Amino acid sequence: MSTIKGISQTEVAYDGSALRVAIVHARWNRVIIDALVSGAVAKLKERGVKENNIIIQSVPGSFELPFACQKVIAGSHIQANANATDLLGGLNLGSSTPNPISRSGTPALPTATGPFDAVIAIGVLIKGATMHFEYICDSVSHALMRVQLDTGVPVIFGVLTALNDDQALERAGLGKGEDKGHNHGEDWGIAAIEMATQTRRWGEGKFV
Ligand SMILES: Nc1c(NC[C@H](O)[C@H](O)[C@H](O)CO)[nH]c(=O)[nH]c1=O
Ligand SMILES: CC(=O)[C@@H](O)COP(=O)(O)O
């Protein structure tokens, strides 16, 4: 019987070439994390996101993900403003600073910086002997939802909440049996591009 689970991909092939995406990952259960991050990066690149527009940051554990995502989003705005100031500063609008454009002869273009169009939060939580698992899963899921609603930047929920090692391995395509499972990191990369693109469109009042 074919499963009814899983995402139904949209017919639209979203173009990631103008997008900037951050991946924030925890470092617990690193073998699984690395597979998930690789899967997400592969799909981002496959859909055109430039390598220097994929920023990867790590934190100790999944509990740190919401705070890190909030700060990474805020930092990208500061970085963008700083670059804009640098560029505007080069226009020599009566300032004493010589125009870097005239000084070097070539325009001072900003580096690959700017606000993130989406953030992918990746963590692997595996149930242990205590209730620690439940409290982290609950708090992190609610907090990541709040970060995206508060910031207006899509935060893709890439946190595996597994009851045992095998469940986590299979969801990273690392299953021990014949069926290795499916790397959910790939789905998260695709979702990031769709949500980033749609967020831009919705922000312009466009409903394609
Ligand atoms: N047990 C797991 C953790 N625990 C660590 C917490 O996430 C956090 O880093 C610590 O409590 C300090 O604040 N983290 C995971 O990502 N996965 C686990 O299975
Ligand atoms: C998700 C966790 O925090 C968990 O792995 C910790 O294990 P334990 O509940 O046995 O301390």
Side-chain angles (χ1 to χ4, degrees), residues 41-85:
V41 169
K43 287 299 180 184
L44 289 174
K45 289 182 177 176
E46 184 183 284
R47 280 159 171 74
V49 181
K50 299 180 178 62
E51 188 151 4
N52 65 349
N53 279 333
I54 301 173
I55 304 303
I56 299 176
Q57 299 287 291
S58 76
V59 291
S62 295
F63 189 80
E64 283 73 43
L65 286 172
F67 179 82
C69 289
Q70 185 187 68
K71 293 303 179 184
V72 160
I73 290 167
S76 71
H77 288 293
I78 292 168
Q79 188 185 50
N81 294 340
N83 274 288
T85 305

Side-chain angles (χ1 to χ4, degrees), residues 5-208:
K5 283 181 62 181
I7 186 171
S8 62
Q9 293 303 348
T10 171
E11 307 76 45
V12 179
Y14 291 99
D15 173 20
S17 59
L19 298 178
R20 187 161 160 70
V21 178
I23 295 175
V24 182
H25 71 80
R27 294 193 297 271
W28 268 66
N29 306 306
R30 189 63 190 258
V31 169
I32 301 171
I33 288 284
D34 286 348
L36 293 168
V37 170
S38 297
V41 169
K43 287 299 180 184
L44 289 174
K45 289 182 177 176
E46 184 183 284
R47 280 159 171 74
V49 181
K50 299 180 178 62
E51 188 151 4
N52 65 349
N53 279 333
I54 301 173
I55 304 303
I56 299 176
Q57 299 287 291
S58 76
V59 291
S62 295
F63 189 80
E64 283 73 43
L65 286 172
F67 179 82
C69 289
Q70 185 187 68
K71 293 303 179 184
V72 160
I73 290 167
S76 71
H77 288 293
I78 292 168
Q79 188 185 50
N81 294 340
N83 274 288
T85 305
D86 288 349
L87 192 57
L88 288 174
L91 294 180
N92 196 11
L93 302 174
S95 68
S96 58
T97 308
N99 181 345
I101 291 177
S102 57
R103 190 173 59 226
S104 63
T106 53
L109 296 176
T111 55
T113 62
F116 290 122
D117 296 290
V119 175
I120 305 173
I122 295 180
V124 176
L125 286 155
I126 300 175
K127 171 72 178 161
T130 71
M131 289 288 288
H132 200 226
F133 170 83
E134 284 80 358
Y135 285 104
I136 296 177
C137 292
D138 185 61
S139 59
V140 168
S141 54
H142 288 291
L144 288 175
M145 176 63 76
R146 184 160 62 82
V147 167
Q148 74 173 344
L149 295 175
D150 288 352
T151 63
V153 176
V155 176
I156 304 304
F157 185 69
V159 181
L160 297 184
T161 55
L163 297 179
N164 55 55
D165 295 358
D166 286 342
Q167 284 185 354
L169 288 165
E170 287 158 10
R171 285 155 182 78
L174 301 174
K176 294 174 187 169
E178 277 189 38
D179 177 5
K180 299 302 177 191
H182 168 67
N183 188 336
H184 284 44
E186 296 176 2
D187 302 336
W188 303 334
I190 293 169
I193 290 178
E194 177 174 348
M195 289 307 294
T197 304
Q198 292 290 65
T199 301
R200 282 192 179 187
R201 289 175 181 169
W202 295 330
E204 296 163 359
K206 294 176 184 170
F207 306 99
V208 179

